[in-house]
Amino acid sequence: MTGDPTRAEVAPDAPARPGTGHEDDWALEGRTRRDVVVVADRFARFARGERVLTVSGLLALLAADDTDPEPASCHWVVHLGQGIDATDHDLLEAAREKSGVTVTFADPPAFRRVPERSVLVHKDRSENVLLAGVHSPSAGHCQAELRIHRDNELILDHHTGEHVQGIVIVEAMRQICIAQFETAIRPGLATPAYAGVWKRIDLSFQDFLFPLPATVESLIEESDLGRESNLKFRATTAVRQQGRTVATANIEYSMIAQGRIDALERRKADQATRAYLG
C-alpha cells in the first residue's frame, strides 16, 4: 500500500469517503470518518499525532468505555504502517469484534502479506527480511515493498527520532540487489549458490524515511556475465515513499560462486591471522 494514507483504498465493505458522492451513507450512520495509520509499538515516537496510532493505542481505543464518546462517534479506517503483521491483525480483529467501535481495515490482505523468503535476500531470520512482493516490471528492473518487522535486527537498539534510521535503507538496497539476482538471473545459471561481494556504494539521502509504506527498486545499468563464477553488476537503487525519493545509490557488486568465495575468504582469513600474530 503506497500513497497518502488519507487517500488509500477502502475495503469494499467500507462506505466511501465524503466527497465521493456517498456522503449520505456517512450521515445516516451518524459517524465521522477518521483515517489513521497503525504502526508497531516500536515506532511509538512516530505515533504522536491523532492520525497515527500504535497497536497498543488502537487496542486501547477499541476497549474504550462509554465515558469516552469519541471512538463510538467515528468510523475508523485503519491503514497499514510498518512493523505490523498477521499476529497484530488477529489481535485487532478480535478487539474489533468485542468493541462497539466501528472499524474498517483499508487493505485487509496487506496485514497478511508475508515478507520474501529469507534465502531470497541471503538472510537467516525472517524478521530481518526487509522486502515483500518482489517483482520485475521490465528486464533489469526490480521492485518491492519495504516491510520492516518490529524485531528487525537494525531497529532493536537504536536511538532515533520519528524516522527510520539510514542503515535500514542501506540494507534494503543491498537486499533488493540480491533479490533481483536470485529471481531474474540465477535461475538461468548452472551454479546453484552465490554470495554477494560489495565493491562500492555511492549513497545519497534526500529525505527522511518514516514507518509508513515505501518501495525499494533496483535498475541494473551494466553487467558482466562472462565468468559464471564471478558475475559483476552496476545498479542504481532507490527508496521512495509517498511520491518522494528518500535515498538513491549507485552500487557496484559481484555475485561470486559460493565455493569460490569460501576458498577466497579462508585464504585471506589465514593471511590476516598470520599478519596479526606474526
Side-chain angles (χ1 to χ4, degrees):
M1 182 179 67
T2 59
D4 184 339
T6 66
R7 299 180 58 192
E9 287 188 6
V10 179
D13 62 339
R17 69 163 45 253
T20 60
H22 297 276
E23 292 87 345
D24 291 344
D25 294 341
W26 293 92
L28 288 173
E29 281 190 2
R31 295 183 176 90
T32 302
R33 174 167 175 150
R34 288 283 301 276
D35 283 72
V36 296
V37 177
V38 61
V39 297
D41 287 10
R42 184 80 62 190
F43 300 113
R45 292 190 65 177
F46 178 65
R48 296 189 305 163
E50 296 180 350
R51 307 195 69 185
V52 184
L53 301 173
T54 61
V55 172
S56 294
L58 183 54
L59 288 172
L61 181 147
L62 294 175
D65 56 28
D66 294 338
T67 62
D68 186 357
E70 182 185 13
S73 68
C74 297
H75 185 129
W76 300 83
V77 181
V78 178
H79 302 266
L80 181 71
Q82 295 290 353
I84 306 299
D85 60 17
T87 302
D88 299 307
H89 178 270
D90 292 343
L91 286 173
L92 294 171
E93 184 64 30
R96 179 176 74 163
E97 291 177 356
K98 294 180 181 178
S99 172
V101 180
T102 303
V103 176
T104 297
F105 296 116
D107 185 7
F111 283 82
R112 297 195 175 279
R113 197 169 297 141
V114 298
E116 294 295 343
R117 294 173 294 120
S118 302
V119 67
L120 193 68
V121 294
H122 297 189
K123 303 298 291 187
D124 290 326
R125 302 176 65 89
S126 61
E127 61 265 31
N128 294 328
V129 176
L130 290 169
L131 306 180
V134 171
H135 65 285
S136 297
S138 63
H141 187 197
C142 188
Q143 292 181 328
E145 298 176 32
L146 178 70
R147 295 298 299 273
I148 306 174
H149 192 278
R150 58 182 170 271
D151 293 327
N152 184 281
E153 60 187 348
L154 299 176
I155 66 171
L156 287 177
D157 186 15
H158 186 84
H159 293 275
T160 185
E162 300 182 34
H163 69 282
V164 177
Q165 57 268 32
I167 192 64
V168 173
I169 293 174
V170 175
E171 173 62 11
M173 289 175 167
R174 188 193 72 85
Q175 289 190 18
I176 194 70
C177 289
I178 293 176
Q180 183 174 27
F181 171 78
E182 289 288 351
T183 57
I185 298 171
R186 195 199 59 75
L189 302 174
T191 304
Y194 285 82
V197 176
W198 309 95
K199 306 289 187 178
R200 179 185 178 194
I201 299 179
D202 184 4
L203 175 66
S204 297
F205 293 100
Q206 285 82 38
D207 211 335
F208 288 120
L209 176 68
F210 294 103
L212 296 168
T215 58
V216 190
E217 64 181 88
S218 171
L219 179 64
I220 294 177
E221 305 283 359
E222 295 180 10
S223 62
D224 180 356
L225 309 182
R227 297 171 58 197
E228 188 167 310
S229 62
N230 187 358
L231 308 172
K232 299 178 181 180
F233 302 91
R234 182 175 66 83
T236 299
T237 62
V239 173
R240 308 186 198 281
Q241 186 169 69
Q242 279 77 56
R244 299 176 296 111
T245 299
V246 173
T248 55
N250 292 315
I251 303 178
E252 296 178 13
Y253 61 99
S254 295
M255 300 302 298
I256 302 177
Q258 191 67 59
R260 179 184 174 92
I261 194 66
D262 287 346
L264 177 63
E265 278 195 317
R266 182 69 270 161
R267 185 171 71 252
K268 289 187 174 293
D270 290 341
Q271 291 173 354
T273 302
R274 287 194 299 270
Y276 176 70
L277 295 177

